[in-house]
Each structure stands twice: as C-alpha cells, then as structure tokens.
Amino acid sequence: MEMGLDDRLGNGAGQNTADEAIKVTDLHKSFGTLEVLKGVSLTARKGDVVAIIGGSGSGKSTLLRCINFLETPSSGTITVSGEAVEMRADGSPANRRQIERIRTRLAMVFQAFNLWTHRTLLENVIEVPVYVLKTPRAEAIKKAKVLLDRVGLGDKAETFPSFLSGGQQQRAAIARALAVDPSVMLFDEPTSALDPELVGEVLTVIRDLAAEGRTMLLVTHEMKFAREVATHIIYLYEGRIEEHGPPDEVFGNPKSPRLQQFLKTVGW
Amino acid sequence: MELLSLSPPGWGGNLLRGLVNSLQIALGAFGLGLVIGLFGAYGKLYGGVVIRDLLGIYTTVIRAVPELVLILILYYVGTDLINQASEAMGYGRVEISGVVAGIWVLGVVQGAYSTEVLRGAIQAVPKGQIEAARAYGMPAFLVMRRVTIPAMMSFAVPGLANLWLIATKDTALLAIVGFSELTLETKQAAASTRAYFTFFLAAGALYLIVTLLSGVVFARIEKWARRGQPSLRAGQSR
Ligand SMILES: Nc1ncnc2c1ncn2[C@@H]1O[C@H](COP(=O)(O)OP(=O)(O)O)[C@@H](O)[C@H]1O
Ligand SMILES: [Mg+2]
C-alpha cells in the first residue's frame, strides 16, 4: 500500500511479483465497434481489496468478466498468481484447459446470485469441489456445511435457492465461492439486486472476508462500504481508470472533476 | 371373450405380442429421437452456419411431410440403401429386423420434434446459471451434464411427454410396411375371426392403458424436474 500509484497500476518496472494475485496490463475490450475498455491496467496483491466504482456502463462488469475470460479481451495481458494467461493475437484464450484451471481460483459472485436452482444450497456449494476439483464428496460436504454455517445458512443446507430471500441466496453464493478456496474473489455488485433491508447481511459477510485478508476485486455502488473495507479504490470512467488510490484519498480528496461529479450523484 | 384369451385359439397373445413390439419401437424411437434432438438442439443453438442450415432443413421437412409418407420414404429408402451397400460389399441382400427399421424410421421423425422441444428448453435456462458454471471452471461438457440438462428438464418434460405419446401411437403407422405391431396384429385377429368390434376395442383399451401409465410416469418425472421451483398454486408457494 505504500507503493506509488504507478506501481499499483502495474506500470512499475522490476517490482517483486511474487505476491501479485492479479495483474492486468493495458486491457482493451470492444463489442463490435463499441470500445468498452480502453486500456486498463491494475494490480492486486495478496490481501488487497480493490473496490471498482464508476457509473453505469463504464465497463466495471466487463473488466471483471475479462479477468476470468467470461468475456474475451480484445488485447492486453492478464496474469493470475504469477501465471500469464496464454492469449492469441486476437485476445482469445489459447489454452482452454488453462482458462478452466485459472477460473477455479477466481471465484465469482454475481449481482443476480446465479445459484443453480435445481440444486439445494448444499449441492450448490459442493458442486464445483466435487465435479471440477475432484474433492472426495464426504470431505466436500463437511466443508460445505462449515461454510454455510459461516454465512448463517447452516439450517438451510437442504433448501432450494428459490425458497430463500435474495440476501440468503447471495450469502449462499458466497459460500459456493469460498468452497473452491479461491486466490481471488470477484464480486460484481453483490448487493445491487437486493432489497435495502437485505444489503447489510451480505456486506457483513464480505466485511468478514476482507478482514481475514482475502484478496478481492469488488465492484460496488456502496461507497461507504468501499471506503471502509477497500485497500484501494479504482474509479472507472468510460473504459479508463480516471482516478485511483487509497480510499481516504479518493473519497476524501477526489481530484478528477468527473469523480467529484460521480460522488455527488451517488450522494457521497 | 375367449377370443381374447392368451393361448390359441384366443388371439390375446398375439395382441400382447403386438403391444410389446409397439412399445419396444416407441421406446427405441423416443430414445433415438432424444439423442438426435439433443445434438440437434445444441447444433441449432451453437453450431456454425452450415450445421444450422442443415438442421433447419431437417426439422422443417420432417415436420412438414405427413408421417405416413415419411415412414414409407424412410423405410423403403433406408432398407434399399442398406441393401445396396451390402450388395456392393458382396454380402447379398440382408434381412432387416422390423424392430430396428421401425426404431430408425420413427426415431428420425421424433428427432425433428425433439430438436425443437429441447432447443426451446435450453434457451429457457437462465443464462446466469450457465455462466456461473463456466466461471467456476466447468468444461463445456460438464456444464451441459450438470447444469444445462438438469435445469432445462422442467421446461422440456411436458413437450417430451407429448412426443412419447405420439411415438406410441405412430407405431400403428408401421402396419403399412407390414410390421406386426399392435394395430396390425389386431387387424389380423379381427379379420380371421370377424370380431372387429371386440378386437379393436381391446386394442383401443391397450393404447389407453399405455397413455394412462405414461401420464403417471411423466407426472413423477415432471415433479422431480421441478424440484427447487416454488409451486405456482396459491398457498403452496414459499
Ligand atoms: N455482451 C455485450 N455486447 C454488447 N455490448 C455490451 C455487452 N456487455 C456490455 N456491453 C456494453 O458495454 C458497456 C459497459 O458495460 P458494463 O461493463 O456492464 O458496465 P458496468 O458494469 O460498469 O455498468 C455498456 O455500454 C454495455 O452496454
Ligand atoms: Mg455491471
């Protein structure tokens, strides 16, 4: 955290890379003729909580989705735990196996939860460990129960997602993410689909995860929360990083007029 | 009534044999149709232009031409092709089992309808569920097996139940190519005994029983496929 801003953006040369969980360099992404990301670079070190803020359509989701290749970047490089993702000239992944392996280390939590509705919470949580990571079933179940307990859903293990509130579903989705022992967690507006009274219970869980030193990239509109848990804030404007820095600086003393305007519109 | 007894001089045994043949063909054709349908649906959704066009022709033609005509075409073309191939390889004409021919003919017909039923069901699966599977590193086939297929079942089962019933009844059309399924057996029994009413009533009852039992089975399957979905009926939701 004591590094210069350029270092944080991955522009610093010769830095120790051993503790880099995610490093994105000059990422571009176009949908047809629409360029959504126009050269984004960022680095998250182990234990960092990087909050990504910005207006709707600024490319926050696209950025997260490029990192685990749910979207194919147009150009740029992505490194996960020091392992560079092999890309073809057009940005498409060159090695499907590698992508699949890397994805299991990047647990994603979606705005719409995206739990598998034909499976119980327990089944949702053990699905990836058992079928992708080949963890023995009994072991996966034991661990899943601990995780469901941890997010306050120990008594709902046999319930199907559709019978639960949004807050409960999102907490279950976080348990599913934790079940793969991720090196980085990717949150895409985890509370935006929730009724206001349910936001708190999900933020509490995420706050706990931040406190235990989990590395995460967190797209959020909860500015207070971002300031509280993040080690670093990135403000995205029209596909570029307009401003970034430690939370106290970005929120306490925003330099860019656009960021000042943005903070005003979200009622900061 | 003794006309229907199972051992000669009764014709009940023949009718039951016909029924077993019919069910065998229906089951085989339905299964073959499902396999064709699954490939067809994935091909139509994710295939290249050529595959999509070919599948489009397949489903359109099959669904446009009357089944009776299709059965005649597929049966005679199919057996002819096999015989030509066999003769070309120097084996002479082969005897094609009626059951196999029936399954192939009806299966190809069923496949066209299955393709459409399954394509619709796959499209009805919430995109986010498939995306979550991919995001957690599931390879494409695992996504299909663990997420897409189970999640689409609740959308597919009603349409597939219809297809199954159509399959059981379409077996009757095979009578035209001389295959001894239930309808042909019934016709022969009726013609030899002049007891038309008795035998066709009995055959009708057998078809009805098959339909009723199928209804029970599919209701179970649908209930299982809908697990996890709150009931729409008032008072049961949540
Ligand atoms: N699959 C897509 N196809 C075309 N345009 C897209 C697609 N996904 C996102 N976009 C566009 O990219 C821009 C950024 O989207 P997104 O990353 O979702 O923004 P944010 O998450 O910051 O609201 C928007 O203009 C959106 O319409
Ligand atoms: Mg978004």
Side-chain angles (χ1 to χ4, degrees):
Chain A
M1 260 153 285
E2 56 278 54
M3 321 212 79
L5 293 185
D6 274 352
D7 299 327
R8 300 305 313 218
L9 287 182
N11 298 334
Q15 294 296 327
N16 170 24
T17 55
D19 62 347
E20 281 172 5
I22 297 250
K23 185 182 169 95
V24 175
T25 315
D26 198 26
L27 187 70
H28 289 255
K29 169 66 184 175
S30 303
F31 292 107
T33 54
L34 175 72
E35 189 171 33
V36 174
L37 296 178
K38 301 166 182 166
V40 173
S41 301
L42 67 90
T43 303
R45 292 175 189 285
K46 279 192 196 124
D48 278 0
V49 176
V50 178
I52 301 164
I53 61 173
S56 170
S58 56
K60 306 181 296 296
S61 297
T62 306
L63 172 58
L64 277 199
R65 294 163 55 81
C66 279
I67 288 175
N68 66 6
F69 285 79
L70 283 182
E71 300 289 357
T72 305
S74 304
S75 67
T77 63
I78 294 170
T79 305
V80 177
S81 308
E83 180 180 353
V85 178
E86 301 163 35
M87 282 158 64
R88 297 212 183 86
D90 62 355
S92 61
N95 182 343
R96 193 176 45 78
R97 287 264 165 89
Q98 186 198 28
I99 297 293
E100 283 160 7
R101 183 162 43 77
I102 282 179
R103 279 175 176 165
T104 63
R105 290 193 250 136
L106 302 173
M108 194 159 204
V109 176
F110 302 85
Q111 182 172 347
F113 329 130
N114 295 354
L115 291 168
W116 296 301
T117 50
H118 55 284
R119 305 199 185 284
T120 63
L121 292 198
L122 185 75
E123 288 167 342
N124 265 277
V125 176
I126 66 170
E127 179 72 17
V128 182
V130 171
Y131 290 92
V132 180
L133 303 172
K134 313 284 183 213
T135 311
R137 195 179 185 86
E139 193 181 308
I141 289 176
K142 216 165 104 189
K143 183 166 160 198
K145 286 183 170 159
V146 173
L147 291 172
L148 284 171
D149 263 336
R150 166 162 190 191
V151 298
L153 293 169
D155 56 337
K156 303 279 188 208
E158 302 305 331
T159 308
F160 288 95
S162 313
F163 295 88
L164 298 172
S165 75
Q168 290 171 317
Q169 290 190 54
Q170 194 59 299
R171 284 185 279 140
I174 293 173
R176 172 175 72 177
L178 292 171
V180 303
D181 285 324
S183 11
V184 181
M185 300 183 78
L186 308 174
F187 290 87
D188 190 1
E189 299 195 32
T191 59
S192 293
L194 298 179
D195 293 337
E197 76 269 21
L198 303 176
V199 170
E201 62 190 60
V202 172
L203 293 185
T204 302
V205 172
I206 301 175
R207 188 182 289 115
D208 273 2
L209 295 173
E212 68 178 32
R214 298 249 175 201
T215 313
M216 28 190 167
L217 300 191
L218 169 68
V219 173
T220 183
H221 286 300
E222 301 285 335
M223 297 301 149
K224 250 180 65 191
F225 182 70
R227 179 168 194 170
E228 174 197 340
V229 303
T231 55
H232 210 77
I233 308 284
I234 284 177
Y235 170 60
L236 216 54
Y237 178 83
E238 289 186 357
R240 284 198 182 86
I241 296 183
E242 172 87 7
E243 188 164 341
H244 62 93
D248 288 342
E249 255 173 54
V250 170
F251 287 112
N253 183 22
K255 295 181 188 67
S256 141
R258 283 172 183 152
L259 175 56
Q260 290 165 2
Q261 180 60 36
F262 172 72
L263 291 176
K264 214 173 285 165
T265 56
V266 298
W268 177 250
Chain B
M1 264 306 121
E2 76 241 10
L3 284 177
L4 288 173
S5 78
L6 289 181
S7 46
W11 292 76
N14 293 41
L15 256 59
L16 282 187
R17 221 169 306 127
L19 176 67
V20 168
N21 274 337
S22 285
L23 287 179
Q24 232 179 341
I25 291 184
L27 214 63
F30 182 68
L32 177 61
L34 275 183
V35 173
I36 296 176
L38 198 58
F39 281 103
Y42 267 91
K44 272 200 164 187
L45 289 173
Y46 303 108
V49 188
V50 179
I51 293 200
R52 282 208 307 268
D53 284 353
L54 287 177
L55 286 168
I57 293 170
Y58 165 58
T59 53
T60 309
V61 168
I62 295 282
R63 292 186 303 164
V65 178
E67 255 135 76
L68 196 56
V69 178
L70 280 174
I71 285 168
L72 288 171
I73 295 174
L74 288 172
Y75 183 82
Y76 288 115
V77 169
T79 48
D80 207 44
L81 282 180
I82 291 177
N83 272 320
Q84 276 180 14
S86 145
E87 271 169 14
M89 288 187 293
Y91 289 113
R93 297 189 73 80
V94 283
E95 198 55 49
I96 293 157
S97 125
V99 175
V100 172
I103 288 175
W104 130 257
V105 171
L106 289 186
V108 169
V109 175
Q110 286 263 315
Y113 292 89
S114 281
T115 296
E116 292 306 316
V117 169
L118 296 179
R119 183 179 62 92
I122 290 173
Q123 279 180 309
V125 175
K127 216 173 97 263
Q129 295 194 28
I130 293 168
E131 192 148 83
R134 293 208 300 134
Y136 280 92
M138 284 195 195
F141 184 73
L142 194 62
V143 175
M144 175 169 126
R145 183 162 74 81
R146 295 293 304 170
V147 178
T148 315
I149 290 178
M152 79 171 179
M153 283 297 275
S154 63
F155 305 109
V157 170
L160 294 181
N162 271 334
L163 282 186
W164 160 251
L165 291 181
I166 290 171
T168 60
K169 277 178 282 259
D170 274 3
T171 55
L173 297 175
L174 292 172
I176 197 168
V177 290
F179 179 66
S180 54
E181 44 62 62
L182 178 54
T183 297
L184 188 61
E185 291 283 1
T186 308
K187 205 171 133 214
Q188 285 166 349
S192 337
T193 58
R194 308 266 146 213
Y196 286 97
F197 185 72
T198 311
F199 281 111
F200 278 102
L201 200 65
L206 287 177
Y207 282 119
L208 183 63
I209 289 170
V210 169
T211 302
L212 292 175
L213 289 181
S214 305
V216 173
V217 171
F218 273 100
R220 285 228 176 146
I221 296 178
E222 189 167 346
K223 192 169 167 224
W224 167 81
R226 280 191 189 286
R227 73 201 184 287
Q229 295 178 11
S231 162
L232 291 176
R233 234 177 295 162
Q236 284 187 15
S237 60
R238 299 266 144 152

